[in-house]
Amino acid sequence: MRWPILSAKSTALRAKTAIALAGAALLPGCSWIRAFDLNGHQSTIDVEGPVARTQTNLFYVTCWVTLVLFIIVGAVLAYAMVRFRAKTEADEHAVPPPQGHGNPLVEVGLISGAVLALVIIAVPTVKGIFYTYDVPEVQKGEAYQVTATGYQWWFKFEYPAEQIAGHGALTTGNELVIPAGRPIHINLRSMDVMHSFWVPKLAGKVDMIPNRANLLWLEAEHPGYYWGQCAEFCGESHAVMRFRVIALAPSEFNAWLNSQMAPARDAHPGAQPATAEATAQFASVRSFGQNETGATGAFEVSPLDAWRRKQLPDSNEDPALIARGRELFSEKTCSTCHTIRGNPSAVGIVGPELTHVGSRSSIAGGLLDNTPEQLRRWIHNPEAVKPGNKMWVTGYVPNHITLSAGDEVCLVSYLESLK
Ligand code: CUA
């Protein structure tokens, strides 16, 4: 009964596919890009830096060469199929014509054509490899150095030029803030397995390999907010191992550095911690779907402005909850894995440094937007958000860590206050 409907549908689908394929073939250099939504967060087509642009241009060269080959081969094939098809009953049983060894002119022509196609692709490829490998000699002096280390499943970023007495280099997690218009030279490391560093709109991918120093450079042409992604399978939560790159004008970048160099903000010194009775009022956390997105929309419209707002303290913060959250951070042993400069008990280096976690736009390895609700979702059940993560496997489970609804709210208040 349903066959006619099905076949009508599949005809429409086939037509749509054909149109899409024809459109894809015509894409390079054409303004339909936006109509095809190829300007998403992780677009390699709509790029904003010289390294990614070199890679995109190379893609176009390859696309055009293969498109020409496709048209020539397709035309010859179509011609042969039509011209030499069996037209009558007699043709179908005819003896094949005498077989020759080939035509020297055609063979030489094919070989030359193939060599030419290869040269057209190889020249920009080799140039691109040298260009993207390291900061060009003329720009070397102005390059800013950063070290990026892959962990299962998050990224650590260190700024070796910014040394903090007693702590070493300035360290952040999941968000790489850089000056725009300046080449960034990134040393790539891994703490466990192989990862790969990729910011599609700026540069990538280069593998992060244990015990091996790889490097990559990138430049953001203007201030912006970029999405990055681990691009090498590295375990069960590989697909959600993300990060952000925030490019700022030099003066804003320096202001950011100054605020990050300072120890954690003590939101309300001397505040009395909230009592258990005072925190008991909080309802349990709402349940989140297994695959519910952690993108709240706050960072969609104007992500850089949303990020800037995260740098400022929340006017509604509650000193008593923050003070209790600070106590809980030690009581629940969070402090053994995370560093918070300015909190003497928080000196762990297994997890991301959290000194200024409240000023970041994302948490949980870039998977969730950093809002109080999403942060509470993360600490409420880390395993549901990022399966296999170390905070759950080596923290919550063996140490039997349980958080009441009140504990969660206090911890979130404390962490969000760390601007
Ligand atoms: Cu790290 Cu995939």
Side-chain angles (χ1 to χ4, degrees):
M1 287 298 277
R2 301 180 64 90
W3 281 110
I5 300 169
L6 200 70
S7 75
K9 260 193 182 167
S10 65
T11 308
L13 195 66
R14 255 182 246 136
K16 270 189 198 162
T17 311
I19 291 167
L21 284 175
L26 294 171
L27 264 182
C30 114
S31 61
W32 300 9
I33 283 170
R34 273 162 209 282
F36 275 87
D37 199 21
L38 292 182
N39 63 334
H41 292 330
Q42 303 196 161
S43 172
T44 53
I45 303 289
D46 185 21
V47 294
E48 296 182 39
V51 175
R53 183 157 296 109
T54 303
Q55 294 168 330
T56 303
N57 289 341
L58 187 57
F59 166 76
Y60 283 149
V61 169
T62 316
C63 239
W64 281 117
V65 169
T66 48
L67 182 66
V68 169
L69 289 179
F70 175 77
I71 290 171
I72 294 174
V73 173
V76 170
L77 179 66
Y79 173 78
M81 282 167 67
V82 174
R83 172 77 177 74
F84 300 109
R85 73 188 193 282
K87 297 181 190 88
T88 62
E89 187 75 16
D91 281 350
E92 281 176 32
H93 305 288
V95 180
Q99 302 294 299
H101 84 285
N103 181 326
L105 200 63
V106 170
E107 282 173 15
V108 171
L110 285 178
I111 292 168
S112 319
V115 169
L116 181 68
L118 263 182
V119 169
I120 293 173
I121 293 176
V123 170
T125 301
V126 173
K127 274 172 71 178
I129 288 171
F130 279 101
Y131 179 73
T132 56
Y133 177 70
D134 202 354
V135 182
E137 211 55 50
V138 289
Q139 285 181 286
K140 273 245 163 85
E142 48 172 313
Y144 189 76
Q145 300 284 334
V146 177
T147 302
T149 308
Y151 287 70
Q152 283 172 316
W153 292 273
W154 58 281
F155 289 90
K156 179 170 88 178
F157 298 111
E158 288 165 297
Y159 296 73
E162 324 300 336
Q163 292 292 328
I164 300 164
H167 277 277
L170 172 66
T171 305
T172 67
N174 296 324
E175 298 200 349
L176 173 60
V177 180
I178 57 169
R182 188 171 167 188
I184 312 297
H185 183 278
I186 306 177
N187 292 301
L188 301 171
R189 305 297 172 96
S190 171
M191 195 48 86
D192 36 48
V193 300
M194 272 176 70
H195 304 276
S196 178
F197 185 91
W198 190 30
V199 198
K201 288 194 174 212
L202 298 179
K205 325 154 174 170
V206 174
D207 280 354
M208 311 171 102
I209 301 172
N211 298 319
R212 185 192 153 96
N214 272 353
L215 58 93
L216 169 151
W217 79 279
L218 55 78
E219 184 180 326
E221 282 159 347
H222 46 78
Y225 187 94
Y226 305 97
W227 277 256
Q229 170 76 48
C230 174
E232 174 76 42
F233 181 71
C234 55
E236 59 194 308
S237 280
H238 151 73
V240 294
M241 181 174 171
R242 300 175 193 171
F243 63 103
R244 306 284 193 274
V245 176
I246 293 110
L248 302 174
S251 57
E252 194 180 5
F253 175 70
N254 286 331
W256 176 83
L257 273 184
N258 284 336
S259 68
Q260 294 286 311
M261 295 289 279
R265 173 169 168 261
D266 191 354
H268 300 274
Q272 282 303 307
T275 58
E277 296 76 52
T279 62
Q281 57 179 299
F282 300 106
S284 60
V285 67
R286 83 167 170 88
S287 56
F288 289 84
Q290 181 69 39
N291 293 314
E292 185 173 335
T293 176
T296 56
F299 296 92
E300 294 296 315
V301 181
S302 178
L304 192 54
D305 287 337
W307 178 87
R308 286 185 177 119
R309 282 194 294 278
K310 283 299 288 182
Q311 308 308 303
L312 306 169
D314 179 358
S315 53
N316 295 323
E317 61 185 19
D318 183 329
L321 298 185
I322 293 172
R324 177 63 188 138
R326 189 182 158 111
E327 288 179 350
L328 282 164
F329 197 80
S330 303
E331 281 174 25
K332 298 292 178 182
T333 67
C334 315
S335 52
T336 55
C337 292
H338 297 282
T339 290
I340 296 178
R341 281 185 285 116
N343 180 340
S345 75
V347 291
I349 54 166
V350 179
E353 163 144 353
L354 301 178
T355 304
H356 297 281
V357 67
S359 68
R360 294 179 199 153
S361 55
S362 61
I363 48 167
L367 180 61
L368 307 177
D369 283 354
N370 186 7
T371 64
E373 188 187 45
Q374 295 292 331
L375 179 53
R376 191 173 167 193
R377 171 191 183 182
W378 172 228
I379 62 172
H380 176 72
N381 187 352
E383 178 70 359
V385 173
K386 203 202 290 184
N389 75 85
K390 299 281 189 288
M391 183 158 82
W392 179 258
V393 174
T394 67
Y396 280 51
V397 175
N399 298 311
H400 309 290
I401 294 172
T402 52
L403 302 173
S404 70
D407 293 344
E408 287 169 8
V409 169
C410 293
L411 277 168
V412 167
S413 300
Y414 173 53
L415 293 171
E416 290 289 350
S417 79
L418 301 176
K419 300 291 181 181

